[in-house]
Amino acid sequence: AFTHYSYAVRDAATLITKAGLRLIEVHLSNPHTREEFRHKSVISGVATGVIAGFGVDSYLLALTQLAA
């Protein structure tokens, strides 16, 4: 629900990216293969990138990118 409806989380994410830090939105599953209401993320618009659909490896991929 945070991804789809939490503008407070989006505001915090905006502060992170405005500070020059990278932020990657991570989903274990692919939201676009799920219900229609899950297709829209309020976080994606301010995130540096999105990784979705790789299960637990999604976190590893995100950490690899943040460490690069």
Side-chain angles (χ1 to χ4, degrees):
F2 291 129
T3 297
H4 314 294
Y5 302 112
S6 183
Y7 289 93
V9 172
R10 180 194 167 97
D11 291 345
T14 300
L15 293 174
I16 290 169
T17 56
K18 282 188 176 181
L21 300 172
R22 294 181 297 157
L23 176 115
I24 298 177
E25 180 179 354
V26 176
H27 299 274
L28 297 177
S29 64
N30 182 348
H32 288 74
T33 64
R34 300 180 69 196
E35 302 90 348
E36 181 70 29
F37 74 91
R38 298 186 193 276
H39 296 188
K40 175 68 176 149
S41 166
V42 298
I43 308 301
S44 293
V46 297
T48 307
V50 178
I51 297 175
F54 296 98
V56 175
D57 287 342
S58 297
Y59 288 108
L60 298 172
L61 291 165
L63 288 172
T64 298
Q65 284 305 305
L66 290 174

